[in-house]
Amino acid sequence: MTSANKAKLQLQERVPLPRTAWKLADLAVLSLLLALLARRASSLVSSGGTAAACTWCWVAALICEAWFTVVWLLNMNAKWNPVRFVTHPERLAGYWAGDDELLPAVDMFVTTADPKLEPAVVTVNTVLSLLALDYPAGKLSCYVSDDGCSAVTCYALREAAEFAKLWVPFTRKHGAKVRAPFAYFSSSSGGGAAERGGGGGAADADAEFLRAWTSMKNEYEELVRRIESAEEKSLVRRGDGAFAEFVGADRGNHPTIIKVLWDNDSSKSESDEQAAGDGVPSLIYVSREKSRTQPHHFKAGAMNVLTRVSAVLTNAPIMLNVDCDMFANNPQAALHAMCLLLGFDDEVHSGFVQAPQRFYGGLADDPFGNQMQVIFEKVGHGIAGLQGIFYCGTGCFHRRKVMYGVPPGSGTGATKADSPSYKELQKKFGSSKELIESARSIITSKEAPAAVADLTSRVEVAKQVSACSYETGTSWGQEVGWVYGSMTEDVLTGQRIHAAGWRSALLSPDPPAFLGGAPTGGPASLTQYKRWATGLLEIVLSRHNPFLLSASKRLRFRQCLAYLVIDVWPVRAPFELCYALLGPYCLIANRSFLPKASEPGFVVPLALFLAYNAYNLGEYVDCRLSARAWWNNQRMQRITSSSAWLLAFLTVVLKTVGLSETVFEVTRKEQQQQQGSPSERGGRSPVAAAARASGSSCAAPGFCSASGRS
């Protein structure tokens, strides 16, 4: 394609966002912070230590305020140059001359770990939304990792594969704007052409659609009934057929179980099923081998197993990973992502494409401070203007070769001499010949990955590469795949990708690409924050520290500082707790750590208090959120800092000195949000609720505290 045609068919646009007024406000708050530090330091010098107790309070306050200034500078850096990316999926047909076969294949990964905390109905809805994406079905394959080794989850997915033969053609025929069944049937009532994106259809067409809608809703309700009535013991008790491998399997100690629930390629040769299933992507269930004598590395280990299993089965050059409760809300999500993955002149600008997290069914005004609209609109867009948005653990499109540790510029136009040797690949990827050959095809980019005619013929090979001992002596978890060593494997893996020189792009179509369920209770939210903070501090204290990556690799300095915005969450806890306790201590001890109201110096902390809170409230208003949402997040920030972050800080300290080990805690997914009619949930559709997603918690002084999910 000529440069003129590429310019005409520009798939994406990088649009800088104006922020002049906010920059002036940033500088105003910074000047007040510096003035407060200067005033306190000069007061300490002039006092000469005459009052030891009072001096101690002022020294503690000075240290805390200096830390707050550092945090403010980190956030200023992250927010300074915001950008957004506008994508044009309608131009893809012209880019590929109308040939869909030229679109790259996508392997879609869904992870679940506990059938009780993450109900099978939730996972099924996510899988069905992915199978129904507007993308060539032969180019999509969906892999579900079940770390709970649950026969109920496998049964639910098998039933979902059958339902998909009806659901996928229905959604594509009627142009459904959301493809997760629970959201579709909650937000529509079968009301005719308007519901399915058409306009002014004839009465008979509307009647036909209503009959189809009613029939499909009945089918979905029957699917939900079968899944919810399924019992683990009764399924395993059969001991034959599809669930024989689950007999005697223990969640923490069992062999690999891989089942091809639907094979798109093999279905094409079955004429009696072609009409129903030809448009349904492949669906594969994976429960990796577990052993009590081998580490399994939590979600990072599961993702690496999916990467290897998919490599020997379908080997798509693009991989999408989502959590089990984050469904595809925009049916063109994959096409929007392709605009960013293919639309740059140099692929270095899109090592991965991350969609911001949006939530359905959120409580009004975010009482528990776990929504994320503010952080992605303010901090997220700002970081997108640096080396790129962080990897958030879900809703992300990866280049497979980037996950294989290939640096930018490698593979393009490579000669045979440049191709890595078999021994080099064996040392890096392991002993599987099939995996080595698939990795070579991805790394060299010289030939399209070989297609497997029958996925079931490769199941034994897939089981080999998913063995818990396969990674021993290889680069998996270090230079290849998701990185081990932190509870927040997503941030750690993203840092490794950026440190290799790749950039990332922010995917923010309208409507949002993906919607997930936020915890609707305080304890669940605090558990999530504790897990994130624990993993972030593990990164700071490891060889993956952003400063070390910036000094020794290709992580840009401003991107390094942007990573520190979230990496220092648990470090902030002791400073914020100390500052919060200074007031009560001084009140009891009849001391003061602030100037008296009659003193000229009182103007500085007063102005800082008013300016900071006005700035913070202004961010919420700018994000179309209420003052109550701002207040709720301020309140939850104090609770989070003094509980979840502080516990994370102590956990990592105890682990560092060898007195404790970190434990991965799964967050409960709210199944009730995916059941019943809109009236049963107070008339709120998940789609409408997502449009009102609340803002994130905000710290003092001035950082929105929500993060990517794990």
Side-chain angles (χ1 to χ4, degrees), residues 316-353:
I318 306 298
M319 302 182 295
L320 163 66
N321 89 277
V322 296
D323 286 342
C324 66
D325 65 328
M326 185 155 282
F327 67 89
N329 178 63
N330 188 326
Q332 292 193 323
L335 296 176
H336 283 283
M338 291 306 146
C339 291
L340 294 171
L341 290 166
L342 307 174
F344 291 97
D345 292 334
D346 191 337
E347 64 183 11
V348 68
H349 294 284
S350 55
F352 63 85
V353 172

Side-chain angles (χ1 to χ4, degrees), residues 550-635:
S550 179
S552 61
K553 296 188 178 181
R554 300 170 67 182
L555 184 67
R556 298 183 180 181
F557 182 68
R558 288 191 63 192
Q559 184 76 9
C560 159
L561 297 180
Y563 270 112
L564 288 175
V565 167
I566 60 172
D567 285 352
V568 300
W569 277 1
V571 181
R572 289 169 49 182
F575 291 98
E576 295 182 13
L577 181 61
C578 175
Y579 203 74
L581 293 176
L582 280 177
Y585 170 80
C586 290
L587 185 64
I588 295 173
N590 195 25
R591 304 291 182 182
S592 175
F593 75 102
L594 291 171
K596 296 180 180 179
S598 58
E599 298 177 359
F602 182 74
V603 175
V604 175
L606 177 62
L608 177 60
F609 174 81
L610 295 175
Y612 164 72
N613 283 286
Y615 177 98
N616 200 237
L617 178 59
E619 285 193 319
Y620 278 76
V621 173
D622 195 40
C623 293
R624 303 165 300 282
L625 301 173
S626 67
R628 180 171 290 277
W630 165 77
W631 176 258
N632 287 339
N633 279 271
Q634 289 288 326
R635 172 176 53 83

Side-chain angles (χ1 to χ4, degrees), residues 18 79 121 124 179 188 218 239 313 425 450 498 546 693:
K79 299 177 182 179
V121 171
V124 162
R179 306 286 170 90
S188 65
N218 292 336
L313 294 181
L425 293 173
H498 284 137

Side-chain angles (χ1 to χ4, degrees), residues 69-130:
T69 305
V70 171
V71 172
W72 186 260
L73 285 169
L74 292 176
N75 282 274
M76 280 183 60
N77 166 73
K79 299 177 182 179
W80 198 254
N81 301 111
V83 301
R84 65 184 177 92
F85 293 92
V86 180
T87 50
H88 302 284
E90 70 279 359
R91 299 178 182 176
L92 278 170
Y95 190 89
W96 292 112
D99 188 357
D100 286 345
E101 290 303 313
L102 296 177
L103 284 170
V106 181
D107 286 337
M108 305 177 292
F109 301 156
V110 180
T111 52
T112 181
D114 191 312
K116 294 182 179 179
L117 296 178
E118 299 172 332
V121 171
V122 177
T123 304
V124 162
N125 271 277
T126 297
V127 169
L128 289 171
S129 72
L130 296 175

Side-chain angles (χ1 to χ4, degrees), residues 359 362-363 366 369-373 518-519 529 633 693-697 706:
F359 301 97
L363 300 177
D366 191 16
N370 55 18
Q371 307 293 324
M372 299 186 182
Q373 186 172 337
Y529 277 117
N633 279 271
S694 298
S696 64
S697 305

